[in-house]
Amino acid sequence: MEQQPTVRKKRIFSAIQPTGIMTLGNYLGAVRNWVEMQDEFDCIYSIANMHAITVRQDPKELRENTLRLMALLLACGIDPERSVLFVQSQVKTHAELSWVLNCCTQFGELSRMTQFKDKSARHPENINAGLFDYPVLMAADILLYQADLVPVGDDQRQHVELTRNIAQRFNTLYGQTFVLPEGYYPKLAARVMSLQDPTKKMSKSDDNPKAFISILDKPETILKKFRSAVTDSEAQICYREGKEGINNLMSIYSAITGRTLQQITDEFAGKGYGEFKTAVGEAVAEALRPVQERYEAYRQDKAYLEGCCRKGAEQALRLSQRTLEKVYRKVGFLSL
Ligand code: ATP
Ligand code: LTN
């Protein structure tokens, strides 16, 4: 019998840090797309706890945040039967490949990373080598699985580009080894901005909780935060340069409701900012409600969450081991 050629589905890899509670920015910029991509692609998702310790973490809190994030990802719709979902530190190949890649990355390249510059400015007391090296560990995450696409928010563009450069350099030096991955950015809400300073991205580690919407915020809190969002004094709801606060709210509303920016402008013609902010808050609270309900159920089942970690780690180790062995052979390490 003639064999049918098997078409390999495109491989997806992405990760999120357990540095706090997931924000609306993480959800719209990344996780919501991860959920949708499961139908079409071969998906691998990770909780990047090794990246998280580049900024000082309380050990007990980190442990809790890791399991909590596992529950949240499941609640958002990541399905461990269809996708591989694992905790980074439980798969040792990540640290191992990142050492080899370190030796193919230039000091100058890492010095140009804007996230490193931002984070070292924010934590001047702890500019550790891990913070500098963060993008190389991220490159190892992606390249270990031979990922074709990396769905991330806009802030990770530079890191994905660096990953491609490292992969290309390795392939030139040692022969074809890594697939060159491409970034995959959402068309809407690729960069959700802070509600308190719309020129800055919304970040879960912001000191001011009014600046971000957490996925687990209660509906009243969500409404309150949107009502106090910083806008402008024009009282005109349209998307235009210089109206960063309104642009941000319109993007969020559009990403949640599926309406276009023009439809939103028409819907709120002649209405005030108060009414618009309330509508955005209500739409967001409504969209998050089912996620919050599912989260509570997962959160209470610690044994199930730990089982998911174990299964995901075994799958990820098996897949990544192949790449690591190839890399070790190519660079001239003796095999055991
Ligand atoms: P931290 O504040 O600890 O640096 P973070 O909120 O930036 O964390 P990460 O865990 O680093 O979140 O990012 C997870 C994913 O969410 C990445 O794909 C990232 O691009 C995306 N993301 C983070 N913040 C935003 C945002 N404001 N808008 C859109 N996407 C975002
Ligand atoms: N640095 C990413 C998180 C991350 C990641 C990855 C994203 C770690 N490893 C691999 C995509 C692919 C961030 O979002 N801050």
Side-chain angles (χ1 to χ4, degrees):
M1 217 171 48
E2 212 178 307
Q3 275 228 304
Q4 290 290 327
T6 46
V7 186
R8 181 181 171 265
K9 277 190 186 172
K10 282 208 168 167
R11 172 71 60 82
I12 304 294
F13 184 93
S14 199
I16 175 167
Q17 303 180 78
T19 37
I21 310 243
M22 197 198 287
T23 66
L24 186 64
N26 301 136
Y27 182 67
L28 295 179
V31 177
R32 194 171 70 153
N33 300 309
W34 300 4
V35 173
E36 276 170 19
M37 292 176 106
Q38 295 180 113
D39 294 332
E40 201 183 329
F41 301 102
D42 176 15
C43 299
I44 304 172
Y45 299 125
S46 181
I47 296 182
N49 58 345
M50 289 162 71
H51 280 103
I53 62 163
T54 56
V55 171
R56 193 75 67 220
Q57 305 288 328
D58 174 73
K60 185 163 172 273
E61 237 170 73
L62 181 62
R63 210 170 287 125
E64 269 168 24
N65 278 338
T66 305
L67 269 194
R68 207 188 275 162
L69 185 53
M70 192 64 161
L72 255 180
L73 290 171
L74 296 171
C76 287
I78 304 294
D79 174 2
E81 297 300 321
R82 285 192 291 163
S83 302
V84 176
L85 175 61
F86 70 99
V87 176
Q88 188 185 33
S89 66
Q90 295 183 327
V91 182
K92 63 187 173 58
T93 45
H94 291 249
E96 291 168 327
L97 179 62
S98 83
W99 179 255
V100 178
L101 298 184
N102 269 329
C103 304
C104 300
T105 309
Q106 299 300 304
F107 181 87
E109 288 178 296
L110 292 178
S111 311
R112 286 194 288 276
M113 295 293 119
T114 52
Q115 182 181 291
F116 171 68
K117 292 190 232 171
D118 290 350
K119 288 203 175 175
S120 30
R122 262 201 284 153
H123 307 276
E125 74 300 340
N126 184 21
I127 306 177
N128 61 76
L131 190 65
F132 187 64
D133 202 31
Y134 180 114
V136 181
L137 177 59
M138 178 161 161
D141 294 343
I142 298 167
L143 300 178
L144 272 173
Y145 300 93
Q146 307 288 356
D148 301 290
L149 292 176
V150 184
V152 280
D154 215 41
D155 60 309
Q156 296 301 309
R157 223 173 250 275
Q158 208 184 16
H159 291 163
V160 176
E161 284 310 306
L162 178 71
T163 300
R164 284 173 66 86
N165 292 340
I166 296 173
Q168 202 149 30
R169 189 170 306 141
F170 190 97
N171 287 347
T172 306
L173 281 170
Y174 300 103
Q176 181 58 39
T177 309
F178 296 122
V179 167
L180 290 193
E182 271 179 53
Y184 183 95
Y185 309 97
K187 287 181 197 69
L188 284 170
R191 194 173 177 79
V192 177
M193 308 309 276
S194 154
L195 297 183
Q196 290 300 311
D197 176 358
T199 61
K200 260 179 33 187
K201 81 159 191 157
M202 181 182 284
S203 165
K204 56 177 133 61
S205 50
D206 201 304
D207 296 331
N208 180 1
K210 280 165 82 180
F212 60 87
I213 301 288
S214 141
I215 293 297
L216 295 178
D217 277 343
K218 294 200 179 71
E220 314 83 86
T221 314
I222 295 177
L223 273 176
K224 215 183 286 167
K225 286 184 182 177
F226 274 110
R227 284 202 192 108
S228 64
V230 170
T231 49
D232 53 65
S233 52
E234 250 183 23
Q236 205 180 26
I237 295 153
C238 63
Y239 196 98
R240 185 160 25 84
E241 216 185 301
K243 291 176 72 76
E244 278 69 28
I246 287 294
N247 293 351
N248 190 35
L249 297 183
M250 285 181 75
S251 304
I252 293 172
Y253 194 61
S254 168
I256 295 275
T257 61
R259 280 170 227 170
T260 63
L261 298 175
Q262 187 56 52
Q263 283 168 337
I264 299 170
T265 303
D266 295 344
E267 182 183 344
F268 290 95
K271 296 188 179 152
Y273 283 177
E275 199 170 329
F276 177 51
K277 286 174 172 179
T278 303
V280 180
E282 281 171 354
V284 169
E286 191 51 32
L288 295 182
R289 196 166 48 86
V291 174
Q292 297 184 350
E293 283 167 9
R294 287 193 293 264
Y295 169 77
E296 282 311 322
Y298 283 120
R299 189 68 191 99
Q300 279 155 30
D301 198 346
K302 195 167 174 207
Y304 177 73
L305 295 175
E306 285 171 348
C308 285
C309 292
R310 201 169 312 115
K311 179 175 155 213
E314 281 165 12
Q315 292 172 315
L317 180 66
R318 195 163 33 78
L319 291 169
S320 58
Q321 196 87 51
R322 268 186 252 157
T323 304
L324 186 73
E325 277 165 18
K326 196 162 159 191
V327 167
Y328 274 18
R329 215 172 37 243
K330 295 225 174 190
V331 300
F333 288 173
L334 289 180
S335 59
L336 211 79

